[in-house]
Amino acid sequence: MAEQPVFLLGEGLSALEPAAFDTEVEFQALLARHPRILDFGSLADGRPLRLFLVAREMRVPTGNESGSTYWLDHLFVDADGVPTLVEVKRAADTRIRREVVGQMLDYAANGARYWPAALLQRTFEESCAMDGRPLEDAYRELLGGQSPEEFWVTVEERLAAGRMRLLFVADRIPLELRAIVEFLNRQLRQTDVYAVELTQYRGSGDHRVLVPRVHGEVATANKTQSGSGQAARRWTRADMDAALESRSPEQRQAALALLDHAESAGRTVGNRAGYPSFSVYFPAAGREVPVWTLSLREDPDRDDLAFSFGSITNHLGREATSAFADALPEVEGLRQKIAAQREKGFTGWPAVSLAALSARPGALRQVLAAIERLMGGGAP
């Protein structure tokens, strides 16, 4: 049966007929300009959901230093710090049936690993500038009294815990995709999955009507309270100390020295990642600046110390970050990462293996000295 028109009643009666989107690019641009089309549901405190665009065509790396191989159509975030990943396809694209699901899961898995808070914050602020949105206005509704840095750390933690929404948007949602969405929603406790069918109707002149229809809400509503409604707990210093008991004496000594220095000179924040993780803010130039994150993985060989170059640059400028980078030790792999960051404008999170850091004599002292100089505002 042919789809029926909708009718616009004004001075007369105008029929608006179903009309396909001309291109996928047009479809994507529409959602980027008007995210309210996707505002269904509510926040944790009952307020209506509002989505804010972080980026269109968001780069999704597959490794800390590798080139980006994936591109997510849209990344949004809400005032609870919950990220929303959106993939857009027209019904004419056969990938909408099954292939898009594997695509989206790739994006979610790698975004959770390789989208640090500093990158998300920088990307959001760059998108605001490109779209002509005053940053103060964009943040007013988003932050709820937090600082931008605290908010984006929350977003990073949500990602690490798998707390996110995955949205498949198309002008026609096939039954195969609906079945997969409902299945995923029943299985995933932290992640909500939806398919949004967006039908467009056109009439004479500039008249257009957009009608979204959401699939997956029933399965989401049936999730238990212990699922997506609760955030993972923050790791504590006791958790970090306990995890370090299984490390080599050298790695344990290096990590404890970092944590002790952080507690005496800065402010520590336990993250909500899937492994013990601490981030540290140090005072510099009258601000609290995120400087490093220590992560203790399941495999001790993958323990690392990541430096938050993007946040340092945002707070103190590129020259200060460059001086800080120059003061860091010559440790295996770190110099190459710093060189790559220098070319990119110091916007990333270069990491050094805790094993490599602890194995090089004097390296830890250099890291602590570099932090002290950064706090003092002096050049190395």
Side-chain angles (χ1 to χ4, degrees):
M1 180 183 294
E3 191 162 353
Q4 295 298 306
V6 298
F7 296 94
L8 182 65
L9 183 60
E11 294 182 1
L13 188 67
S14 301
L16 284 73
E17 301 287 346
F21 293 93
D22 293 334
T23 65
E24 193 171 297
V25 171
E26 176 202 7
F27 204 167
Q28 292 172 350
L30 176 71
L31 296 177
R33 288 196 306 271
H34 305 292
R36 289 208 63 183
I37 294 169
L38 303 176
D39 287 348
F40 55 89
S42 59
L43 299 174
D45 62 4
R47 285 179 295 155
L49 176 69
R50 287 290 309 278
L51 294 179
F52 298 83
L53 181 68
V54 177
R56 181 179 168 189
E57 295 293 333
M58 180 71 180
R59 289 155 54 115
V60 187
T62 56
N64 279 318
E65 297 299 325
S66 66
S68 298
T69 57
Y70 300 140
W71 295 87
L72 173 70
D73 287 340
H74 301 84
L75 177 63
F76 296 97
V77 70
D78 67 27
D80 283 342
V82 177
T84 297
L85 287 66
V86 177
E87 253 319 275
V88 179
K89 292 283 185 292
R90 291 189 302 157
D93 188 337
T94 57
R95 293 175 298 171
I96 189 61
R97 298 184 181 276
R98 293 186 182 88
E99 186 178 333
V100 70
V101 176
Q103 220 176 10
M104 178 69 90
L105 294 178
D106 262 339
Y107 299 156
N110 285 287
R113 295 183 66 188
Y114 300 121
W115 285 341
L119 171 66
L120 294 168
Q121 179 177 351
R122 177 175 58 86
T123 303
F124 174 77
E125 294 176 358
E126 287 177 351
S127 293
C128 287
M130 289 175 60
D131 295 340
R133 290 180 288 166
L135 200 54
E136 184 178 343
D137 293 347
Y139 271 138
R140 186 177 295 115
E141 194 170 348
L142 201 55
L143 297 183
Q146 304 175 79
S147 71
E149 288 72 29
E150 288 172 327
F151 174 79
W152 292 110
V153 166
T154 297
V155 178
E156 179 185 7
E157 292 169 354
R158 298 276 195 258
L159 282 164
R163 180 90 192 280
M164 63 185 86
R165 297 183 198 90
L166 310 181
L167 266 59
F168 301 95
V169 183
D171 50 353
R172 181 78 64 185
I173 300 295
L175 288 174
E176 296 95 327
L177 180 58
R178 287 177 56 181
I180 294 171
V181 164
E182 290 166 3
F183 174 80
L184 289 174
N185 251 333
R186 288 194 297 269
Q187 304 305 317
L188 300 175
R189 310 316 305 169
Q190 299 289 344
T191 303
D192 293 335
V193 188
Y194 302 97
V196 181
E197 187 170 276
L198 187 61
T199 306
Q200 175 179 237
Y201 297 84
R202 286 184 178 271
S204 58
D206 294 329
H207 288 154
R208 297 172 72 186
V209 170
L210 301 169
V211 181
R213 184 179 295 111
V214 181
H215 303 283
E217 287 183 297
V218 173
T220 301
N222 289 335
K223 291 187 179 185
T224 64
Q225 184 65 29
S226 63
S228 61
Q230 296 180 339
R233 72 177 183 89
R234 291 185 182 276
W235 295 99
T236 66
R237 173 63 193 267
D239 294 325
M240 299 292 286
D241 290 346
L244 288 169
E245 288 297 321
S246 62
R247 271 50 182 178
S248 70
E250 294 78 16
Q251 284 179 251
R252 183 166 61 252
Q253 183 178 2
L256 291 174
L258 285 165
L259 292 168
D260 289 344
H261 176 264
E263 289 183 335
S264 65
R267 179 171 67 89
T268 60
V269 177
N271 297 321
R272 291 192 177 102
Y275 42 80
S277 176
F278 251 41
S279 295
V280 185
Y281 294 69
F282 289 99
R287 306 181 181 189
E288 272 199 337
V289 182
V291 174
W292 58 251
T293 295
L294 177 65
S295 299
L296 305 178
R297 320 281 179 168
E298 186 174 347
D299 178 0
D301 289 338
R302 296 184 59 232
D303 293 348
D304 64 30
L305 180 70
F307 298 102
S308 143
F309 279 11
S311 292
I312 298 171
T313 300
N314 287 341
H315 283 284
L316 305 178
R318 190 177 299 183
E319 186 175 343
T321 313
S322 178
F324 176 69
D326 289 342
L328 292 174
E330 296 275 352
V331 178
E332 180 186 353
L334 182 59
R335 276 295 134 198
Q336 295 90 326
K337 295 175 183 178
I338 289 176
Q341 279 297 306
R342 197 177 301 279
E343 292 180 4
K344 298 174 183 177
F346 294 112
T347 57
W349 287 69
V352 58
S353 156
L354 185 60
L357 182 68
S358 61
R360 185 174 181 85
L364 180 61
R365 286 196 302 274
Q366 282 185 259
V367 170
L368 298 180
I371 294 170
E372 292 290 337
R373 289 167 181 155
L374 185 71
M375 291 167 57

